[in-house]
Amino acid sequence: MLSLIKGLPVTKAAQILPILSAKAASSSNCARSYHSFYHVEPPIADPSSLENQILAKAYTEFVPKVGFTEKAVNRAAAALGTNPNSLGAIFNFTTPSHDIAMELALYHLKFARQEMHDQNKEKAISLPNEKERLKFYVAQRLLLNRPVIDFYYQALGRMILPSNVSESLKELHNLADDISYYAGDRSTDFAWYSKRFAVAGAFVQSELFMLKDNSPDFRDTIQFASDRLDEVDKLGRIYNSFEEWLLFNGISTINMIRSQLVRG
Amino acid sequence: MSLVFKRFASRASSGAKYLAPKPTNGPTHTALSDAQKAYLDRVIRVDQAGELGADLIYMGQFAALGHHKELRPVIRHMWDQEIHHHATFDALQTNLRCRPSLLTPAWKVGAFGLGLVGGMMGKEFAMACTEAIETVIGGHYNTQLRVLSNNFGDLKDLETGETTSSAEIRHLEEQIKIFRDQESGHLNTALKHDAQKARPHWLIFEGVKLITKTAVYAAERI
């Protein structure tokens, strides 16, 4: 889209036409609901937009050095030949948060969510059941925090600022939805909500645990997440058994009353 | 009664047979716009909730009126069709990843209660309920068909470059068409079985219509 203006380098065009790139980015910002098999699905973090190119550079090269800060994005922009002073224009037009460090944190979440599925989809098929796949995906997603774990507290701090919390919750929901769906969730009623809520809760707890975890390969974190998910599973089974028990007793009661009525 | 229990206890399967066959070489059309996705999301949510409701209403009527020799096969037939509709929208909801209505527990209790109480009030009352519900649903499905055929044909086929609606959309349209026709069949059945003889007919008819419309409005949004 940016190459529409001939004779200008891509980055220059982006500085003049932030509105155009805003349109390109907006599709990846919405909460994803309907997923089509017959229509192209836009990637989670569209690599063709300038913002995401800058963020990708910042994320891979500068976050391990300076953390989830505006500085990392500034350096990435400079490395890509964009004037760091114009970042405010590029990002404020295109992002709901108006906060560049938050965008970097969100980029991590989107990138890791995409990677979680791309890297593991073949391996997940071989697992026997939904619970195992759920544990597998949560573990793999947690391990994707590993490269940035030293600075991850900064990202978490950004995410829970009042102005950013709705964006981060949306992303958390998308993650829980992806994990549940890829694990093979087929719930059609209220369980859909409780499952995603429980997975999101287990994931956040495990992430907080991971910040202080020093065990090799984060073995303790994986164990912690696995235990939390076992609890979720148990809770679900209790609910289903209760529903079945209630129904059985309801129908038995109706039948008993009817048999008494027939006797007169 | 054991039928009722079996129906409640059954859990959704993968349901691939209810979907348009998945494309072998990946997507065939360009991306849906956000507005189109939001509309499809809403269509599937409200129709799933509606068919769940219909399934349970007939279950309630079956529980209350199943001992009538002449009514039993009639209600059973309508119920079987609703079970198929319900399974279809369950499959669409889980595979196309729409969220179900948040009020699903309320729809379950309300629909089963309406069917059971309506059935206990007598055959005419139950049939008047059916008449009112199917009237609203027929109009509701027609509106959806109009939007689906008008607003989803502007997407480019990736191979030929022509703008057509994809097999996914056409499949959804076909399903809704079939369901609409079957629902209006239920309306005729209700009329044939003395729906108009319920007293006071206008009150039951308008009351249940209002309840159905409110439920549709809520299920589209929540």
Side-chain angles (χ1 to χ4, degrees):
Chain A
M1 193 182 290
L2 296 172
S3 59
L4 283 176
I5 304 175
K6 296 240 167 75
L8 274 179
V10 170
T11 46
K12 274 273 166 51
Q15 286 166 24
I16 298 168
L17 288 174
I19 304 284
L20 273 183
S21 52
K23 243 180 155 182
S26 66
S27 64
S28 58
N29 276 331
C30 73
R32 309 202 329 152
S33 51
Y34 182 91
H35 291 238
S36 177
F37 291 116
Y38 277 83
H39 296 270
V40 177
E41 284 291 334
I44 295 175
D46 184 3
S48 66
S49 77
L50 181 65
E51 306 86 290
N52 282 336
Q53 284 168 11
I54 296 174
L55 289 175
K57 184 102 176 156
Y59 178 66
T60 47
E61 283 179 29
F62 298 102
V63 168
K65 288 176 205 150
V66 290
F68 286 92
T69 51
E70 220 170 311
K71 211 193 223 170
V73 186
N74 283 340
R75 288 199 191 166
L80 282 172
T82 315
N83 183 356
N85 293 325
S86 67
L87 280 184
I90 294 175
F91 280 92
N92 279 350
F93 274 116
T94 59
T95 65
S97 72
H98 295 239
D99 177 350
I100 289 176
M102 174 62 183
E103 286 308 313
L104 193 53
L106 275 179
Y107 183 82
H108 162 67
L109 298 181
K110 288 178 182 169
F111 174 79
R113 183 154 65 90
Q114 179 91 60
E115 286 295 299
M116 173 192 78
H117 183 229
D118 290 350
Q119 290 176 6
N120 300 308
K121 53 187 166 191
E122 275 93 21
K123 214 170 159 198
I125 294 171
S126 61
L127 294 170
N129 57 30
E130 182 182 345
K131 194 171 135 196
E132 292 304 313
R133 282 191 294 268
L134 200 63
K135 283 182 184 175
F136 172 71
Y137 271 119
V138 168
Q140 294 303 314
R141 173 62 187 79
L142 283 169
L143 288 178
L144 281 164
N145 284 345
R146 192 159 40 177
V148 295
I149 192 67
D150 291 340
F151 295 101
Y152 197 52
Y153 68 94
Q154 293 174 334
L156 288 175
R158 280 284 163 182
M159 284 183 237
I160 56 166
L161 288 181
S163 56
N164 296 338
V165 86
S166 75
E167 276 296 303
S168 15
L169 283 181
K170 205 193 275 176
E171 196 45 43
L172 180 62
H173 163 74
N174 286 343
L175 176 67
D177 186 41
D178 272 10
I179 292 177
S180 311
Y181 175 76
Y182 294 134
D185 171 46
R186 290 286 175 275
S187 46
T188 56
D189 49 10
F190 201 78
W192 190 94
Y193 293 91
S194 29
K195 187 172 273 177
R196 276 146 186 80
F197 191 75
V199 169
F203 181 77
V204 169
Q205 284 180 35
S206 313
E207 251 186 354
L208 291 175
F209 185 90
M210 193 177 184
L211 291 179
K212 288 270 175 190
D213 185 7
N214 292 320
S215 59
D217 287 340
F218 294 98
R219 224 171 282 152
D220 290 353
T221 306
I222 307 293
Q223 187 58 43
F224 181 85
S226 165
D227 290 349
R228 294 290 81 71
L229 291 170
D230 276 339
E231 283 168 16
V232 171
D233 188 59
K234 208 183 286 171
L235 223 60
R237 216 147 4 99
I238 291 173
Y239 175 81
N240 283 335
S241 315
F242 177 69
E243 200 182 49
E244 214 166 302
W245 174 85
L246 207 67
L247 191 79
F248 177 78
N249 279 285
I251 290 178
S252 314
T253 312
I254 293 176
N255 279 338
M256 208 174 70
I257 295 170
R258 273 169 53 170
S259 72
Q260 293 302 310
L261 285 178
V262 167
R263 280 175 62 188
Chain B
M1 197 55 91
S2 64
L3 271 175
V4 174
F5 185 70
K6 251 190 229 157
R7 185 71 200 119
F8 250 115
S10 74
R11 295 272 178 269
S13 55
S14 93
K17 64 176 174 173
Y18 299 109
L19 300 167
K22 282 180 196 173
T24 39
N25 303 322
T28 60
H29 281 68
T30 48
L32 292 161
S33 74
D34 283 353
Q36 284 171 327
K37 275 193 175 185
Y39 186 75
L40 290 172
D41 189 45
R42 172 189 265 227
V43 162
I44 290 176
R45 176 162 51 255
V46 67
D47 290 354
Q48 183 196 26
E51 297 298 354
L52 164 80
D55 185 355
L56 293 192
I57 285 173
Y58 286 113
M59 185 197 291
Q61 292 190 354
F62 190 82
L65 296 171
H67 57 280
H68 274 267
K69 249 195 195 124
E70 67 279 24
L71 279 183
R72 189 185 170 91
V74 175
I75 295 178
R76 190 70 219 278
H77 175 69
M78 298 198 283
W79 185 18
D80 280 343
Q81 288 187 334
E82 298 295 355
I83 289 174
H84 174 72
H85 302 177
H86 184 193
T88 307
F89 275 109
D90 273 359
L92 287 168
Q93 181 255 318
T94 49
N95 285 286
L96 299 173
R97 301 181 62 179
C98 305
R99 70 180 172 86
S101 171
L102 184 59
L103 301 175
T104 307
W107 304 144
K108 280 186 184 171
V109 174
F112 187 69
L114 183 64
L116 191 70
V117 172
M120 284 172 168
M121 302 279 279
K123 170 194 164 195
E124 289 81 9
F125 192 101
M127 287 300 167
C129 290
T130 306
E131 184 197 357
I133 293 164
E134 303 294 7
T135 308
V136 175
I137 296 306
H140 169 73
Y141 274 154
N142 272 335
T143 317
Q144 288 186 349
L145 283 174
R146 224 167 285 139
V147 178
L148 284 177
S149 66
N150 285 341
N151 297 338
F152 289 83
D154 60 344
L155 296 159
K156 231 185 221 167
D157 190 318
L158 293 177
E159 264 183 32
T160 59
E162 288 168 27
T163 53
T164 51
S165 47
S166 64
E168 197 171 271
I169 304 292
R170 271 181 281 128
H171 173 79
L172 184 61
E173 267 183 276
E174 274 159 31
Q175 295 300 309
I176 293 183
K177 251 183 232 166
I178 295 170
F179 294 171
R180 179 205 51 192
D181 293 345
Q182 290 182 345
E183 305 289 3
S184 64
H186 298 176
L187 176 59
N188 284 337
T189 313
L191 290 173
K192 229 184 282 169
H193 287 86
D194 304 332
Q196 308 259 0
K197 283 188 189 154
R199 289 291 174 270
H201 178 262
W202 67 269
L203 183 64
I204 302 167
F205 187 67
E206 296 300 329
V208 175
K209 251 167 69 172
L210 187 69
I211 293 173
T212 317
K213 277 182 186 164
T214 318
V216 166
Y217 182 87
E220 275 179 343
R221 284 160 182 80
I222 307 172

